[in-house]
Amino acid sequence: MAYRAPETFNGHYTTASEVYSFAVVLFELLTSERPWYRDAEGNPCLDAHVMNLVVNKGKRPDMLSNMNSLNKSLVALMRRCM
């Protein structure tokens, strides 16, 4: 669920959908964190909650504070792809 672009929840797949999924995978590789794994209180995120955040609220995985110490080019690429 975490790797799906917003439009895919309506069954609409495009090249942009794949680019979004790539960005989420890149997020995971750069941060060693699973996107949408836990909420702010540390509780596991349910699929319905992730779908609501992505589709209805336009949210993306939280950028971690240590992103500044990562490869700036890859972080910029990831942000553009999201």
Side-chain angles (χ1 to χ4, degrees):
M1 196 59 72
Y3 303 90
R4 292 183 65 181
E7 64 274 11
T8 65
F9 291 103
N10 293 328
H12 185 72
Y13 293 86
T14 65
T15 302
S17 306
E18 298 301 321
V19 171
Y20 176 89
S21 297
F22 167 74
V24 178
V25 170
L26 189 54
F27 171 89
E28 192 170 12
L29 290 170
L30 288 171
T31 64
S32 299
E33 298 283 334
R34 289 179 55 198
W36 309 114
Y37 183 63
R38 300 221 178 258
D39 65 15
E41 289 81 38
N43 300 315
C45 284
L46 302 174
D47 288 345
H49 181 65
V50 172
M51 188 167 59
N52 180 51
L53 289 172
V54 172
V55 175
N56 298 326
K57 297 187 178 185
K59 298 285 185 179
R60 300 298 179 259
D62 289 332
M63 300 301 154
L64 304 175
S65 59
N66 68 345
M67 286 283 211
N68 294 332
S69 65
L70 300 172
N71 182 303
K72 292 184 187 325
S73 298
L74 289 176
V75 171
L77 174 64
M78 177 193 61
R79 287 188 170 142
R80 285 185 56 209
C81 290
M82 283 190 185

